[in-house]
Every structure is written in structure tokens, then in C-alpha cells.
Amino acid sequence: MNFEFHNPTQLVFGAGTLSRLGDVVSKHGKRALLVTGGGSVKRNGTFDRAIASLQAAGVSVVECSGIEPNPRISSVVRGAETARSEGCDVVIALGGGSTMDAAKVMAAAVFYQWDPWEMMAHGREKQGRPTRALPIVTVPTLAATGSEMNCGAVITNEETVEKSFVMADCLYPAVALVDPELTLSVPPEQTAFGVCDLITHVTESYFNGVDGTPLQDRFAEGVILTAMEWGPRAVADGDDLEARAQVQWASVVALNGWVQVGTDFTAPVHMIEHTLSAHHDVAHGAGLAVVNPAWMRFAAKARPARFAQFAQRVFGVPLKSADYLGCALEGVDRFEEFLRSIGCPIRLSQLGIGDAMLSRYARDTLRVAHDKEGLLPGRPPMNGEEIVEVLRSAL
Ligand code: NZQ
Ligand code: ZN
């Protein structure tokens, strides 16, 4: 292990903390671009409460609503133009991962001289990472992505049908204000997708990180076990605030860097899922529920002992006669069954995806993410045929 770690985001966590939004924001700016999604925050009263808190603290608000799931670069451009023309000095994201990601890139686009799509990685030699952004305050209304406390953002280019990402220091939010009460209205299906997403964030580093990170293994297993204990409760009873809080805390920790530190990980499952989202606009967590178990069955053949460790520690699968692969595959079956039991899809057909474009998905995934040999980074690295094989096994 050899690493540096830095996460400057201040975390304010707890039921009822939305009332502190105005105070929190006023330390960073006086005129806020308030970014929201398709309307859930207006329907459930969160928007009005946020406005009241901001007004009481003397923060004026310019609205940027209508950020779509799998947010588009055109929405980012729209929001950045509004922030610029209205003289905003702080950006607030009030919504799910899509709203937060779009808001983060808007905050940087305000200072960016080029097309904001240039910020994204999408497989190019040179990426125009941003270096400056307006201060960002994230207020997640959905427990899933961890975007509230990390420096990443995932954006779709609707013209090129690409979904890509940017990670840059200036995208760390100044503050993440995480109020589990705001997630009480998330429907069961979307709650389950969030649970799947947060678990997948830690399985990516667990299975695709460097060897010799026993403490990070335990962190990851802790996140998974916590999500598996509290996730089903949040799905079964959306009003269970304790379950909502535990799931949301797990989702923050799953991708704020603590679990991944020193693992130098890659995220092949995410890269494949992003292609499916780009083409079919599927919910990110739903796509992951289909791709992750299929990928695990593929990757377990290359590292059976690693996957057997997961099976043993997370699901208590016994290792019999040193049959690591058997133990590993039993663990994957149980993981898939967990996802199914909380209401996630586990086959591509449930997402309305057939076999007509499997090669195209593989090609597009490799276009966005590849190593020097042209393979999808991961353990093992994958070529196009292997990506097709994984997707075919999930039909
Ligand atoms: O748009 P509104 O009306 O708000 O409705 C949303 C949306 O329809 C709804 N929702 C959110 N909060 C709600 C609610 N409905 C009722 N009550 C509430 N309190 O949920 C739907 C999905 O929202 P979305 O923001 O798209 O979901 P999620 O948080 O799962 O975000 C997914 C996006 O984040 C990216 C994904 O690729 C995808 O684009 N990711 C971002 C990451 C990051 N920045 O670190 C990492 C992730 O791996 C992921 O890739
Ligand atoms: Zn994810």
C-alpha cells in the first residue's frame, strides 16, 4: 500500500439537519444556484423547507430545476449559464445522485473556458479536468451514489450516447448536509437500487483493488453487512427513519474514499453499467444489480480465493475441501438472491434489454474506459468478447 488521502468535505449528518441549510450555505455564498431534479422535492415539501431556511439566513436563490436521471451535459450547460448570468456564488444540489453530479459539474463549468464535456474522461488521452469551481453544498434526497461527499460526477452526452465521468479536487463539495428524513419518500424500488449501488461501490474495490488491504476488506464487508441488514427494512417500510439513516450513512461511507483508500481500484461493473444507462436510460442501481453478479461469476474464475473470502465472510458460506470456486459461486448466488429479494432486477430482460446490441455495448464501454492494451481495467482486465460473455450470461 502506498497512498495519499484527502477528503475536504464537511459532513453534517442527521435527521432534521435540513433546517440548518441556510446557516451552512451562508458561510460559502450569498446567492445560490439551487439545483433540483424532476420535481420530487417540490411534491414532498423539501424544496419549501430548504427555501425557508435559506431565506432566513439571507441567502437569495436562483432555481435550476428539471435535472433528469442520468443527467445530461445539456442540462449542465444550462445550469452553468444561469449561474453565470445570475451572478451566483455558491451551488446547492438538492436531490439524488443525478442532481448532485450535474450541480457539481455546473459549479466547475462556470469557470471553464471550453465545452464542459471536455472535463469528462471518456477514453481520451488528454482530459480537461477542471481546477476551479464555485463552492458546492450537497443535500442528498436519495441514499445511493455517495456523490454528496466525493469528487466525482457522472454525466451523459445524449448526442454521442456516452456516459462518462470526471473526478477532480475542485468537485469535492464544501459541505454535505445529509438528512435521512429527506429519503423517507423514496419509493421501495428506488430504495433497493440505492442499496445495490452502495454495495457495488465497495465490491468494485474489494474485487478490483491491489492485494494486501485487510483493513479495507473489513471496511467493505462492514458496509455490505450494514446495507444488507438495514436495506431490506428501508425497502419494507419507507417510514423507518432508523433504517433510512443507517442505509444513508452506509451510502456516504461506501464512496467517500475511506473504503477505497490505498486499493488503487478500478470499476469495471460501473463502466459496463454506464453503457447500458447511456443506451437505455436505466436506473443506475438497477443496471448494477444485473451486471454485478454476472461479472462476479466471470471474475471469480480468475481469483476464486478472493471471491470465496467474500462468500465466507459476508454470507457465511463454508469452504469445503478447498473448493474455492464452488464457495465463491455459492456466495454470488446468495448475493444475487439478496438483490432479487429486495426488488432489484437480476436479468437484462427485466430492464427491457435483449441480445441485439451486446457487441455495441462492449465496444462503447471500451471506448470510454480502456488501458494501454485496449482492455477494460479490472481484475482481470476484459476484452470486448469477455464483456459480451458477461452480458450474455445476464440475459
Ligand atoms: O428527479 P426527481 O423528481 O427528484 O426524482 C428522482 C428520480 O426520479 C427520485 N428521487 C430522488 N429523491 C427522491 C426521489 N423520489 C422520491 N423521494 C425522494 N426523496 O429518484 C429518481 C432517481 O434519482 P437519481 O438522482 O437519478 O438517482 P441516484 O441517486 O441513484 O443517482 C444516479 C446517478 O448517479 C450516478 C449514476 O451513474 C447516475 O447517473 N453515479 C454517480 C456517482 C458519483 N458521483 O460518485 C457514483 C455512482 O456510481 C453513479 O455512477
Ligand atoms: Zn454506482
Side-chain angles (χ1 to χ4, degrees):
M1 274 192 301
N2 202 336
F3 62 83
E4 288 178 27
F5 181 73
H6 177 69
N7 185 326
T9 302
Q10 179 195 357
L11 176 63
V12 179
F13 187 96
T17 45
L18 180 65
S19 62
R20 289 169 56 192
L21 180 64
D23 281 344
V24 163
V25 172
S26 65
K27 294 191 176 67
H28 298 277
K30 290 288 170 219
R31 187 159 173 75
L33 183 75
L34 177 57
V35 186
T36 61
S40 69
V41 292
K42 296 205 171 158
R43 288 190 294 276
N44 61 28
T46 298
F47 183 82
D48 289 343
R49 288 170 56 212
I51 294 284
S53 174
L54 290 163
Q55 275 173 352
V59 178
S60 66
V61 171
V62 178
E63 235 192 290
C64 173
S65 58
I67 303 303
E68 54 287 295
N70 300 320
R72 296 179 182 176
I73 194 71
S74 53
S75 298
V76 170
V77 171
R78 169 170 66 89
E81 276 165 7
T82 306
R84 240 190 250 119
S85 65
E86 294 283 343
C88 296
D89 54 7
V90 59
V91 174
I92 305 169
L94 181 64
S98 297
T99 296
M100 291 190 283
D101 286 1
K104 285 158 90 175
V105 183
M106 284 173 201
V110 165
F111 298 112
Y112 201 70
Q113 299 168 27
W114 305 276
D115 175 353
W117 185 244
E118 295 297 310
M119 292 183 206
M120 302 295 142
H122 62 91
R124 294 161 318 159
E125 291 279 302
K126 270 201 147 193
Q127 181 190 352
R129 265 205 196 92
T131 53
R132 197 177 162 208
L134 288 174
I136 302 157
V137 175
T138 48
V139 187
T141 62
L142 179 56
T145 63
S147 178
E148 59 274 7
M149 199 179 168
N150 69 37
C151 68
V154 184
I155 304 292
T156 295
N157 185 326
E158 58 270 45
E159 282 172 20
T160 60
V161 198
E162 279 172 311
K163 187 173 184 185
S164 185
F165 64 94
V166 52
M167 292 175 80
D169 279 347
C170 67
L171 297 182
Y172 276 110
V175 188
L177 195 151
V178 182
D179 181 345
E181 272 179 14
L182 309 188
T183 67
L184 294 175
S185 56
V186 178
E189 199 182 46
Q190 205 65 242
T191 304
F193 300 163
V195 170
C196 175
D197 189 23
L198 83 88
I199 291 177
T200 309
H201 293 154
V202 304
T203 60
E204 295 273 31
S205 56
Y206 195 89
F207 294 123
N208 296 291
V210 297
D211 290 334
T213 57
L215 180 60
Q216 306 316 118
D217 289 358
R218 291 301 191 184
F219 283 174
E221 290 155 9
V223 168
I224 297 167
L225 290 167
T226 303
M228 285 177 45
E229 179 178 349
W230 294 95
R233 298 190 200 190
V235 171
D237 176 7
D239 291 328
D240 184 339
L241 184 57
E242 180 63 13
R244 292 291 195 181
Q246 299 307 340
V247 170
Q248 197 161 27
W249 177 219
S251 75
V252 173
V253 171
L255 203 57
N256 70 353
W258 296 349
V259 176
Q260 289 79 14
V261 67
T263 63
D264 198 17
F265 78 112
T266 52
V269 174
H270 270 69
M271 294 302 111
I272 296 172
E273 192 292 319
H274 285 175
T275 304
L276 300 181
S277 291
H279 279 277
H280 300 281
D281 209 9
V282 297
H284 172 62
L288 292 174
V290 174
V291 177
N292 202 13
W295 174 84
M296 286 165 86
R297 290 190 180 96
F298 165 83
K301 285 182 269 170
R303 295 173 75 207
R306 183 74 187 162
F307 285 80
Q309 175 181 301
F310 170 82
Q312 288 173 285
R313 292 186 181 177
V314 175
F315 291 99
V317 179
L319 177 67
K320 292 183 200 138
S321 324
D323 178 12
Y324 288 97
L325 186 58
C327 177
L329 294 176
E330 172 71 25
V332 181
D333 286 349
R334 297 220 198 157
F335 176 49
E336 189 176 59
E337 175 51 27
F338 166 76
L339 295 173
R340 196 201 57 72
S341 74
I342 58 171
C344 289
I346 52 168
R347 315 302 314 169
L348 284 173
S349 55
Q350 292 171 279
L351 300 173
I353 299 176
D355 66 353
M357 286 169 49
L358 298 186
S359 309
R360 171 82 196 267
Y361 305 143
R363 238 184 4 257
D364 286 1
T365 303
L366 289 170
R367 182 155 53 104
V368 171
H370 54 258
D371 62 16
K372 288 199 180 79
E373 278 79 48
L375 301 174
L376 178 64
R379 294 188 72 173
M382 297 168 83
N383 62 28
E385 279 130 53
E386 289 163 334
I387 297 172
V388 169
E389 179 190 326
V390 164
L391 289 172
R392 193 175 296 289
S393 74
L395 283 169

